Amino acid sequence: AMKEFVHLHVHSHYSLLDALPKVDELVETAKKRGFSALALTDHGNMYGAIEFYQECEKNGIKPIIGVEAYVVTGSRLEKNEDQKPHHLVLLALNMTGYKNLIKLVSISQTEGFFVRPRMDKEILRQYHEGIVALSGCFSSELARAIRKDNNWEKAKEIALEYENIFGKENYYLEMLDLPTLDGQAEYNANLIKLSKETGVPLVVTRDSHYLETDDAEAQDILTCIRDGKTLEDGNRMSYASIDSSFCGADDVWERFSHIPEALENTVKIAARVDLKLELNKWFFPHIDLPPNKNADEFLSDLVYERLAKLMEITNVVKERVEYELGIIKTKGYSPYFIVVADYVNFAHDNGIVETTRGSGAGSIVAYAMGITTVNPLYFKLPFERFLNPFRPSAPDFDADFADDRRDEMIAYVTKKYGADKVAQIITFGTMAARGALRDVGRALGYPYSFCDQISKMIPMGAQGFQMTLAKAMDLEKDLAELYKKNPQVQRLIDLAQKVEGCARHTSIHAAGVVIAQSPLTDFTPIQYETGGTRITTQYEMHAVEAAGLLKMDFLGIRNLSILGRAVEIIEKTTGQKIDIFKIPWDDKKTYDMLARGETNSVFQLSGSGMTRYLRELKPSTIFDINAMVALFRPGPMEQIPEYIRRKQNSQLIEYLDPRMEAYLDQSLGLIVYQDDVLLTSIHLAGYNWEEADKFRKAMGKKIPEEMAKQKEKFVKGCKSFGKLPDDKIKKLWEMIEPFAAYGFNKAHA
């Protein structure tokens, strides 16, 4: 027979500071080593489950979602030191098992948490269906009975009790493949004997914590960082001598050929796994609808009723509303608009200063519903930048609230939808380049000043650009020199590179909140924030969206609190009640003030460079302010003097092509926004919104060969569709190029 084997006990970096592999590396390595299935069993959590599932699917490997649980023999509700939790490996066989695993892990993190997330046998009995359990490592209840207490009868009793909880063929005695671990051979021999006497089947696991044998030291360093110790520390558990790498099947067969059924059982368990997750399908929060109305009809009614109070509903307006509602309906997003409008309006009704950022400002439906406060027709904002028939990702309204009242907002949705349906989203603090050097240096026992000096040689990453040790060595010749010359520096950087990017701790996402339509644990495991009482998801924002919960953004912004306080102070001192949503846009005094350069503390206009430009420009309309905000960034900045020239002398305003006037008139004929690039590709090169979106994403990546491909397509389009002469196409491309990478979304401006 083929020497097949499946790893059923595997840790990723989500076993915080206990294992090295990132999920994608783990799965790629499994594929390289010829495995057809693979399990992920992190300590007490399911952080990596969705990412793992997706990576496995991508690589043609069968994913087995599991967890290495902590189980107490008494009650999970008793919080005392004497209850030592034991390890137990749980694997989901199917959807029932996956849902049960989520329930078990969530209960262990909320009800059972004491030092660690703990389960007990009561909940294992309640949620055992669809789960296979392996008896666990040396820290298991079974291993302790055999090794510590030397109590054979007790060991038999434990094995049969677990078999009774999970059912026959769903509990296995776990033989360890850690050849250098003291007492392993003896323990494994005992398990073979126990299996003969009880009939409970055997299985072999590796309990792997890293991919290659020579990663042992780096993993040992991780545990030092976790425990605040150094390698030299005498009284710590050192793992460096135990090889728990992710080895190939032949290796394991070589060591266990005397007991082939224990290896074959790994393949049998994997064959029984049948888990198909339906990802990327959103389940919106439950909304109360009026009788005989569906969400689409309800939204349509609300929009027309509210819009009538904001503007005259002309044919142009009606056409835009119907167009938007049509796309929203097709996409199934009506409930989303209703939910967001509800909490945004709660803020407005309760004097909580709120504003909605992002491309959603291009929606007249959002404007009518009170989600946004600008009329997209007035500012010529395209709806399609927010939502178009081709856009696969969900729409996203980023709601910003006065930061001193954000808690009230979360309390509102929690009360409205139910405490079991609302949570904040988890994020993982990872070891970035500088931090990794400092952490590793501390664990190696190197002097602080030495590590500090090296880490200061790492350049800071630019906006949206992750600095890595590899990039730093490329950029900083001095660092590369030191690495070559100084063995201590070399050791520090080599080890830091192995831990770089590993998850270090969990925290709460600054904005992300999810609202589920049924209990959260139907979608994601949950836990409390570290040392706190707020509930968070265990899936980070991408995973939680894949799992079916749409991320809502509730960001606390200090500037909004300042505005809110200002309104209160003005009312107290002058008796005047100012509605900041009705401030006129043509107030001459305000523009005069900006033209004089009195910009201190004016949001986005207060920097010295911006102030200098404003004094030259002498802005007189809101469109001038929008343009300055958008242009004031690398690349587009070169256009500012030209904008100022055209502002001072309207004779200079010209359009490369008359068709551009329709969308460039507010920016004096210049390309200023990302939207201008998109609209140009549509009106002059004949793109549809799908192509325009692809164009935007490709240009943003700044990959030379990709840019060349885009340019070729664009030029073709301008010729055949736009009927433009070559010299104009060349000029047009030169206008567009600087905006492709840095272009600012008009709605943001």
Side-chain angles (χ1 to χ4, degrees), residues 104-255:
L104 287 167
V105 168
S106 299
I107 293 168
S108 75
Q109 289 273 9
T110 50
E111 294 177 6
F113 195 90
F114 179 71
V115 187
R116 294 195 161 72
R118 307 163 321 147
M119 301 177 189
D120 60 14
K121 288 175 186 168
E122 181 195 357
I123 58 171
L124 287 175
R125 276 185 206 284
Q126 197 181 338
Y127 296 109
H128 73 275
E129 205 188 325
I131 291 175
V132 160
L134 319 180
S135 66
C137 58
F138 273 8
S139 311
S140 63
E141 194 182 346
L142 185 67
R144 289 198 180 158
I146 294 176
R147 296 184 64 239
K148 284 234 168 74
D149 313 336
N150 221 337
N151 186 337
W152 191 250
E153 288 314 306
K154 180 91 196 286
K156 267 183 162 158
E157 205 177 293
I158 290 167
L160 292 168
E161 182 186 17
Y162 277 108
E163 185 177 59
N164 178 270
I165 291 174
F166 289 96
K168 274 214 186 314
E169 292 299 311
N170 285 338
Y171 176 66
Y172 287 79
L173 303 177
E174 183 176 349
M175 297 169 76
L176 312 182
D177 179 26
L178 297 170
T180 54
L181 178 62
D182 274 353
Q184 180 204 265
E186 191 188 351
Y187 179 61
N188 284 346
N190 272 324
L191 289 185
I192 295 174
K193 182 176 153 203
L194 187 64
S195 172
K196 285 205 175 86
E197 292 186 22
T198 57
V200 177
L202 294 159
V203 70
V204 176
T205 72
R206 177 76 175 171
D207 193 1
S208 93
H209 284 71
Y210 40 88
L211 299 176
E212 312 296 343
T213 304
D214 61 9
D215 292 336
E217 185 180 25
Q219 192 253 344
D220 204 24
I221 292 264
L222 269 190
T223 61
C224 287
I225 295 169
R226 178 190 68 197
D227 302 333
K229 297 204 154 63
T230 64
L231 284 184
E232 270 42 76
D233 230 320
N235 57 356
R236 69 177 192 94
M237 259 294 281
S238 170
Y239 299 92
S241 58
I242 303 164
D243 181 359
S244 58
S245 61
F246 185 78
C247 61
D250 294 350
D251 282 1
V252 191
W253 268 91
E254 221 162 88
R255 290 185 287 274

Side-chain angles (χ1 to χ4, degrees), residues 504-551:
R504 194 179 191 281
H505 55 259
T506 65
S507 51
I508 289 190
H509 187 278
V513 173
V514 288
I515 306 172
Q517 61 174 229
S518 59
L520 287 160
T521 51
D522 289 347
F523 301 94
T524 171
I526 56 172
Q527 66 179 63
Y528 285 123
E529 65 178 313
T530 312
T533 55
R534 294 185 290 181
I535 289 279
T536 75
T537 61
Q538 277 192 29
Y539 292 159
E540 50 74 51
M541 62 181 196
H542 301 293
V544 87
E545 289 217 326
L549 295 177
L550 194 61
K551 168 172 89 53

